Amino acid sequence: MNFLSLNINGIGGEHKVAWIRRLKRKHKLSFIAIQETQLLDAEIIDARACWGSTDFGVSRTSSYGRSGGLLSLWDNKMFTSTDVISSRNYLINIGTWEGISRPVIIANIYGPQLVREKALLWEELKGIIQSINGVWIMMGDFNAVRRPEERFNSIFCHRTARDFNKFILEVGFTDLKMGGFRYTCFRNEDIKLSKLDRFLISPRFLDIAPKTSVTALPRELSDHCPILLSTTKPDFGHPPFRLFNSWLLREGFEKTLITSWNNFIGFGTPDQYMAAKLRHVKEALKKWRATEHPI
């Protein structure tokens, strides 16, 4: 299952709708959480065009003026929403996920700007989390950072970070390390950078999907990066071959290396030939290690 969160900075216009649809197809998404739709009437959002088909579920909240507005979309074959809790700053869907016996709770978050309002939101969310037992996935633009290095050329608020870290600690959620980009929000012509977007997941989620990874994707039509949570292990090809410095001093290593290098016969383009030659040397060294010096 793959989840995507994106502060779209206004969903008006077919180009942004097409962007969401393209992300959904490319990353085979099961759930999409959109923040800052900036539409006073959430019903006018073309959810079907965003998803790209008719077999989906949707929840939404309207914006307050030009601020906020939340949209959640999901694959009906994977997730069935049975209840919704919403406010200006969150859209929480409670339901069942295919193959998971416990209730699954998916929270789409858009944090407020003011420090005091953030603290009130964390307390409110903590109460909801403690009252609903299940598998939690929380995602969105939290409008808060956890440490100074998550900001660049912008003010770090110690109180906001303290309150946010306290919330994460008290609910026991995990903030997974993010790959891709270091920051997720780029403002003032990319001068001010912040990591405002993230996934927070409960221990039960990690029990179900221990190989979960989070990646910040390239931003195109917003000042925020889409962030992707995937429960399948990324495929980076074959595991790397480990060669230890201590092998260089062992009897037979140099002879095996030189012999396998000189005796290789191959064909193809230069890059294909070199890749095949290196694989040949690697296999020879693996056999030497296994037969002459097992470890």
Side-chain angles (χ1 to χ4, degrees), residues 275-293:
K277 189 169 187 175
L278 291 174
R279 285 196 298 270
H280 176 74
V281 173
K282 182 181 74 171
E283 291 303 316
L285 289 174
K286 286 171 66 175
K287 291 178 181 178
W288 165 81
R289 183 192 64 182
T291 58
E292 299 297 328
H293 295 276

Side-chain angles (χ1 to χ4, degrees), residues 19 36 41 48 52 163 183 213 225 244 282:
W19 183 29
E36 277 212 282
D41 183 5
R48 177 178 176 179
D163 292 343
Y183 304 101
S213 62
C225 293
F244 298 95
K282 182 181 74 171

